[in-house]
């Protein structure tokens, strides 16, 4: 890679997730002075009350964005951030190994209570085929209870931490509750109310292609409505390439709080996933 | 290519130092994963070493051709050769009968087979122009095969020896037997309970193969959420045990939404398709079209403990791989670069496997 493009490529996602401090000084900075950190702002756990939705498809896994945002939230220059992670997709060891390669010690953060992990993968497995609907109803209730407790604990004046709730992923949550999408939507609304009440943020992964052929209202629409930032991971429109793994579309609704103006922006760029990082670059700028 | 092969992080384990296990049929992979063989050496290579332990492999069937059975047979036979416990479920009334059709491994390399090999070399003249795609790994894995017989060659015409079959831990389940999936789930969890995942040495591994999971003759075939929950539950059970499950299903019987959900649930996703008999355009493109039997696409490869696909073949754009049975004896493959505009919309990993002439009875 040429040195010319390496520096902007590093911050493309960051830039897309937030309005740069220069061009919009009011964005969230009034409510959180700490958001003035170089990587602060909109999405991945910096701004209070933000909801980030990651949409992916079978061909392109969006998990790497989640890893990137975990690392960002737990980075050393954000000592007051806590991540509550709900995983339906992978065991802890999977995330631990990936984040270790990225230079983030997840086990360490878990011990320090900065990374609170809820393993929904193994929890629900025994007898889940047999259990009726009552059991599934319970599942989301207890999960919400746990999240609420954590958020209340860390967001309280004594804790004064910024909590980010992450869910991987919603489609599996639907399967876990036997397809009762209403329950999932309710759960998400409860979590959303936490973000407004306590100023925590939420990062959610979902698969877009599942709902593309669905005619009725899908949970995805609800999510898109709630979200401040929508990140879409897609395969490259022009076909396969060795050094480009796909493209990202970041739609930032960017709420502007002063004088009631709102401004949104769309950024489009490509990415390449590596073991220890993800490279972002504009189309054609990769050599 | 070289850049892709080299590990980008200093934290990843040096694979070469831990590449051997004492357990036959298992092989260490990158990122703390362990592979077992699919029973087809070339498919193993494409997947970067085989199926990862703990992965759910799903194969989308062709509604008009039984090619998925070939993959299942080789997968099951390979497991039996390695004395790995096996669970087989199918919608047939007597699933045990399927065991009689499993292929036998090619053991002794007699004169005749050598002759055949020579002939095969000749047949594969074009194929081996693409040898560079296998490169060093090919040699390495050949060495592996000789040492531990990680992957055997199977003779599709000879049924598996009774000796190999007898005394093995095989359980067969008919999917028609019960009205819900609980019975099958119990069987799976019983098998998987034998192989809990612990840190450290792996002693043995199990194999589960389920044929045509959503076949219409089963009572629950219309209960899509039950099926989804079963797959999710199987997936999570697998993830905490040392086993691999191969599930085949007819995608045309699922609604588009549910099909996408199934595809997302799969760790490794393959699909088989028959090659149409009189497709002139395809015939022009492919050498040996007359002998080809089908295409196999690799849509997704399990990514455990990593966000990157390690295997170089999977990251180079599109590859075209075909299988050949030399005089209908065994399945082999070759790899061809496949840069056709027609397939340019097929993003990500796009491999085709082609079964070549194969006269043995299905």
């Amino acid at each position: 890679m040429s040195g010319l493009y390496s520096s902007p490529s590093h911050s493309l996602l960051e830039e897309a997730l937030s309005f740069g401090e220069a061009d919009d000084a009011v964005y969230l900075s009034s409510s959180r002075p700490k958001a003035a950190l170089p990587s602060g702002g909109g999405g991945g756990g910096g701004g209070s009350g933000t909801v980030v939705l990651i949409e992916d498809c079978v061909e392109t896994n969006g998990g790497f964005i989640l890893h990137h945002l975990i690392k960002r939230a737990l980075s050393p220059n954000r000592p007051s951030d806590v991540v509550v992670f709900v995983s339906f997709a992978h065991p802890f060891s999977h995330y631990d190994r990936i984040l270790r390669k990225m230079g983030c010690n997840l086990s360490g953060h878990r011990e320090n209570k900065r990374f609170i992990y809820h393993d929904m993968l193994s929890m629900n497995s025994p007898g889940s085929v047999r259990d009726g609907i009552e059991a599934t109803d319970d599942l989301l209730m207890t999960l919400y209870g746990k999240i609420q407790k954590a958020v209340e604990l860390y967001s309280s004046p004594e804790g004064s931490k910024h909590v980010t709730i992450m869910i991987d992923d919603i489609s599996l949550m639907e399967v876990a509750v036997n397809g009762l999408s209403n329950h999932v939507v309710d759960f998400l609304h409860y979590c959303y109310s936490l973000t407004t009440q306590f100023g925590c943020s939420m990062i959610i992964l979902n698969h877009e292609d599942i709902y593309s052929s669905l005619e009725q209202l899908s949970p995805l629409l609800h999510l898109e409505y709630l979200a401040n930032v929508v990140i879409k991971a897609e395969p490259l429109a022009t076909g396969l390439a060795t050094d480009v793994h796909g493209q990202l579309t970041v739609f930032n609704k960017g709420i502007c709080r002063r004088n009631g103006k709102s401004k949104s922006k769309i950024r489009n760029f490509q990415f390449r996933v590596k073991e220890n990082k993800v490279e972002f670059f504009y189309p054609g700028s990769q050599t | 290519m070289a850049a892709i092969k080299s590990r980008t992080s200093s934290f990843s384990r040096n694979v070469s130092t831990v590449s051997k296990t004492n357990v036959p049929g298992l092989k260490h992979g990158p990122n703390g994963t362990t592979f077992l063989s699919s029973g087809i050496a070339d498919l193993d290579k494409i997947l970067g070493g085989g199926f990862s332990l703990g992965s759910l492999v799903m194969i989308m069937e062709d509604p008009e051709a039984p090619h998925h059975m070939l993959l299942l047979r080789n997968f099951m036979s390979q497991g039996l050769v390695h004395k790995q416990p096996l669970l087989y479920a199918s919608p047939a009334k007597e699933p045990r009968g399927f065991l009689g059709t499993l292929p036998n491994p090619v053991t002794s390399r007699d004169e005749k087979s050598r002759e055949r090999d020579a002939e095969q070399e000749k047949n594969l003249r074009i194929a081996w122009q693409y040898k560079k795609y296998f490169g060093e790994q090919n040699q390495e894995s050949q060495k592996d095969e000789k040492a531990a017989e990680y992957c055997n060659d199977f003779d599709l015409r000879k049924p598996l020896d009774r000796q190999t079959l007898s005394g093995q831990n095989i359980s067969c389940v008919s999917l028609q037997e019960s009205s819900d999936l609980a019975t099958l789930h119990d069987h799976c969890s019983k098998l998987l309970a034998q192989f809990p995942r612990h840190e450290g040495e792996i002693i043995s591994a199990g194999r589960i193969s389920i044929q045509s999971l959503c076949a219409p003759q089963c009572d629950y075939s219309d209960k899509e959420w039950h099926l989804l929950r079963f797959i999710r539950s199987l997936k999570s059970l697998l993830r905490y045990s040392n086993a691999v499950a191969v599930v085949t299903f007819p995608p045309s019987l699922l609604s588009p939404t549910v099909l996408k959900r199934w595809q997302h649930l799969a760790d490794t996703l393959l699909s088989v398709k028959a090659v149409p008999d009189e497709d002139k355009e395809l015939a022009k493109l492919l050498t040996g079209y007359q002998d080809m039997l089908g295409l196999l696409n690799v849509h997704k490869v399990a990514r455990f403990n990593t966000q990157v696909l390690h295997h170089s073949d999977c990251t180079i754009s599109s590859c075209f791989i075909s299988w050949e049975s030399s005089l209908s004896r065994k399945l082999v493959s070759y790899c061809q670069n496949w840069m056709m505009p027609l397939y340019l919309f097929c993003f990500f990993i796009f491999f085709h496997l082609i079964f070549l002439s194969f006269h043995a009875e299905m």
Side-chain angles (χ1 to χ4, degrees), chain B residues 59 67-77 88 98 102 208-212 246-248:
Chain B
I59 301 170
H67 295 341
H68 58 276
M69 307 284 265
L70 281 174
L71 295 170
L72 272 184
R73 281 195 184 104
N74 275 37
F75 174 74
M76 288 162 71
S77 275
Y88 172 67
F98 185 71
L102 296 182
I208 295 176
S209 56
I210 301 172
Q211 184 203 325
S212 307
V246 175
V247 178
T248 74

Side-chain angles (χ1 to χ4, degrees), chain A residues 101 119 128 130 240 275, chain B residues 31 186 229 240 310 344 348:
Chain A
K101 276 176 249 177
D119 185 358
S128 69
R130 283 228 176 104
L240 286 165
E275 275 291 19
Chain B
N31 302 308
D186 288 347
R229 284 224 303 171
Y240 291 102
H310 272 279
L344 279 182
F348 208 46

Side-chain angles (χ1 to χ4, degrees), chain B residues 175-353:
Chain B
L175 294 177
Q176 286 188 46
E177 260 171 20
S178 64
S179 56
D180 62 357
L181 284 157
T183 327
L184 180 60
H185 186 264
D186 288 347
H187 276 99
C188 291
S189 53
K190 210 173 100 191
L191 181 96
L192 294 175
Q194 300 171 32
F195 308 102
R197 177 160 293 193
H198 299 298
E199 289 298 315
E201 198 69 9
I202 298 164
I203 300 144
S204 182
R207 293 182 188 227
I208 295 176
S209 56
I210 301 172
Q211 184 203 325
S212 307
L213 183 57
C214 58
Q217 57 263 54
C218 308
D219 290 345
Y220 44 78
S221 59
D222 55 337
K223 293 176 185 162
E224 44 191 44
W225 288 104
H226 280 243
L227 282 162
L228 275 166
R229 284 224 303 171
F230 169 74
I231 299 169
R232 186 185 108 83
S233 169
L234 176 65
K235 183 181 167 165
S236 55
L237 282 175
L238 278 165
R239 205 62 197 270
Y240 291 102
S241 55
N242 293 315
V244 173
V246 175
V247 178
T248 74
F249 65 98
S252 46
L253 294 181
L254 297 169
S255 70
T257 318
V258 178
L259 176 62
K260 282 288 171 204
R261 283 187 193 273
W262 283 47
Q263 292 177 345
H264 276 290
L265 277 166
D267 292 312
T268 299
L269 181 66
L270 314 173
S271 72
V272 275
K273 232 190 242 160
V275 163
D277 265 347
E278 300 284 325
D279 191 332
K280 281 181 185 152
E281 290 206 359
L282 208 60
K284 261 187 247 166
L285 284 159
L286 307 175
T287 44
Y289 168 76
Q290 291 305 317
D291 306 320
M292 284 169 188
L293 205 70
L295 295 156
L296 191 148
N297 293 0
V298 178
H299 299 269
K300 212 163 129 182
V301 179
R303 271 185 258 191
F304 288 166
N305 305 335
T306 180
Q307 51 181 3
V308 188
L309 275 178
H310 272 279
H311 194 51
S312 54
D313 269 359
C314 292
T315 49
I316 50 165
S317 53
S318 39
C319 264
F320 178 79
I321 293 129
S322 67
W323 289 9
E324 173 169 334
S325 72
S326 65
L327 300 174
S328 80
R329 275 288 177 145
K330 60 175 186 172
L331 293 164
V332 288
S333 85
Y334 60 90
C335 178
Q336 226 175 348
N337 211 357
W338 180 250
M339 295 300 268
M340 249 178 64
L342 176 72
Y343 280 96
L344 279 182
F345 70 91
C346 297
F347 9 80
F348 208 46
I349 322 147
F350 197 83
F351 292 116
H352 298 262
L353 287 189

